Amino acid sequence: MMRKIHIAVLMLFIGAVSVFPEGKSEGASAGEALPIPPELSGSNLRLEAAEGELKLPFGTSSTYGYNGDYLGPTVRVSRDDYIKFQIENKLSESTTVHWHGLHVPAEFDGGPHQVIMPGETWKPEFQIAQNAATLWYHPHLMGKTAEHVYRGLAGLFIIDDEYSMALPIPKTYGVNDIPLIFQDRRFDRQGGFDYRPGRPDLMHGYIGNAVLVNGAYLPELKLDGGTYRFRLLNGSNSSIYRFSFKDSRMFTVIAGDGGFLPESVRTDKLIISPGERFEILIDFKTPGEAGLVLEIYGSETYEVMTVSVGGAQGEFFPHPADFVYESEDFSSADLNERNFIMETRGMGIFTINGRQMDMDVLNFTLDKDSNERWFVANRGMGMMNIPHSFHVHDTQFRVLSFNGRRPPALYAGPKDTILLMPGDEAVIGVSFKDYTGIYMYHCHLLEHEDSGMMGQFKIE
Ligand code: C2O
Ligand code: CU
């Protein structure tokens, strides 16, 4: 029964674009050049969270940003670097900064335990101990994550390594290696951001009616012909996106959350749930325009960005078919196993294993340097078939099976966030090394997370 509902829901989403009305943009003018977040690199990095203002065709919003009005710089580091941050909270309220996807000591993870009070400076420092990947950072204050991210606190965190630097793929940031942070927002009558979730929003997540790319509305990216790498982040609160090009052109997916895929995937569409990242390669051969389109699950379809390809020819690269890939072995029968049952128990009541987040409760403990197999399921509930996702801190997991089968190729690489539509279940292999302390796991639909769909575990 559950199976059938689930397939029907997903088919509707993947198959039939026509059931979604065309996106409307209320006559707002567009065409601003795509903003590229500046890079922040070196071994001493400063971030400052402060209030700002964002001008959009709809009006002006009061926002939060890191080192600027909205969003933050792209932190750019290399494997083995030792980096020290100074993070100053210039807001009038507490916040935190969490490194999503990063293997990091618990005390510097930036979860709900590492609160930065107004006026304080937090100084996390750590070594980068993982492969090249596109990660990101955002606040994680208990009960306030959704609102802080919505106001604009988020940025990319890119790791390079020897392998990624040696690959013959586009690597020039902002030139042929383009970060794209997608976020939908709802606007009030004055044209400002409107974050006042009502009951249905707590259920389905706060879905917007306009999509921003790197904080701009319907921006334009001007390019020469050539091969481009787009790093895609779904930085929305709770919207599940189906990304495609207006003309359904094909592209090559080369990396997921935690790095390169064992085998690249040719496709014309990509489902990206909140917090997930993908890297794609795409060739622009002939001059003209290409539109990027996002369909929001359960909502509308929007054209979100225009790529204008000029007459000049830039550099073309072959699309690699596969990448060097190593994984721990999670097949041993002796591995410890755990269940994570995600359920909708009523209006805005979401649980994992029947519990809601409680800062005073440690949900489980595990041993340092251990591998485990986790069974994660979205059990839905009656008519309330709500999607959830599962995110774990400190580690990149391996999807061992998805709905009892070999995982889809897009899930074959390292991941930290996985979308589970109602009825879906996955077995993931998790590995915790080097550090001890408390980390979080939760649904990355931020309205769900804030309403308690989260837990904490201790590595000892
Ligand atoms: Cu992207 Cu626990 O968060
Ligand atoms: Cu959820």
XYZ file of all heavy atoms in Angstrom, residues 342 350 386-389 443-445 448 453, ligand 2:
93
model
N 11.432 7.622 10.593
C 10.953 9.009 10.522
C 9.454 8.980 10.279
O 8.985 8.340 9.340
C 11.679 9.750 9.399
C 13.198 9.596 9.518
S 14.117 10.475 8.222
C 14.291 12.081 8.996
N 6.695 15.753 14.136
C 7.531 14.821 13.403
C 8.479 14.161 14.386
O 9.032 14.829 15.256
C 8.345 15.562 12.341
C 7.489 16.368 11.398
C 7.439 17.741 11.508
C 6.743 15.743 10.413
C 6.658 18.497 10.640
C 5.963 16.480 9.545
C 5.912 17.859 9.654
N 4.378 13.029 3.870
C 5.283 14.169 3.828
C 6.697 13.656 3.555
O 7.140 12.715 4.217
C 5.268 14.897 5.190
C 3.825 15.218 5.614
C 6.165 16.116 5.179
C 3.278 16.505 5.133
N 7.405 14.276 2.618
C 8.799 13.874 2.408
C 9.661 14.260 3.612
O 9.369 15.242 4.288
C 9.239 14.692 1.186
C 8.020 15.331 0.632
C 6.988 15.351 1.715
N 10.675 13.494 3.861
C 11.683 13.860 4.859
C 13.047 13.600 4.250
O 13.146 12.945 3.220
C 11.534 13.016 6.132
C 10.245 13.233 6.861
N 9.875 14.455 7.380
C 9.235 12.380 7.147
C 8.684 14.340 7.960
N 8.265 13.098 7.829
N 14.071 14.132 4.906
C 15.409 13.756 4.467
C 16.190 13.415 5.722
O 15.773 13.743 6.824
C 16.067 14.887 3.681
O 16.402 15.951 4.531
N 16.158 15.630 10.092
C 15.557 15.902 8.799
C 16.065 17.269 8.358
O 16.088 18.205 9.144
C 14.040 15.928 8.907
S 13.244 16.334 7.336
N 16.480 17.387 7.074
C 16.996 18.675 6.611
C 15.914 19.577 6.007
O 16.214 20.629 5.447
C 18.192 18.525 5.670
C 19.226 19.591 5.860
N 19.045 20.896 5.437
C 20.439 19.567 6.479
C 20.112 21.607 5.761
N 20.969 20.828 6.391
N 14.649 19.171 6.108
C 13.586 20.139 5.838
C 13.562 20.987 7.107
O 13.231 20.497 8.191
C 12.246 19.446 5.576
C 12.017 18.998 4.106
C 12.973 17.896 3.701
C 10.587 18.539 3.892
N 10.879 21.110 9.687
C 10.765 19.853 10.440
C 11.856 19.768 11.507
O 11.594 19.402 12.650
C 10.880 18.651 9.510
C 9.756 18.529 8.520
N 9.693 17.514 7.595
C 8.652 19.288 8.324
C 8.597 17.661 6.852
N 7.953 18.729 7.276
N 12.425 17.329 14.661
C 12.788 16.092 13.961
C 14.315 15.976 13.913
O 14.947 16.052 12.852
C 12.199 16.103 12.553
C 12.104 14.714 11.961
S 11.152 14.711 10.458
C 10.529 13.034 10.496
Cu 11.120 16.076 7.540
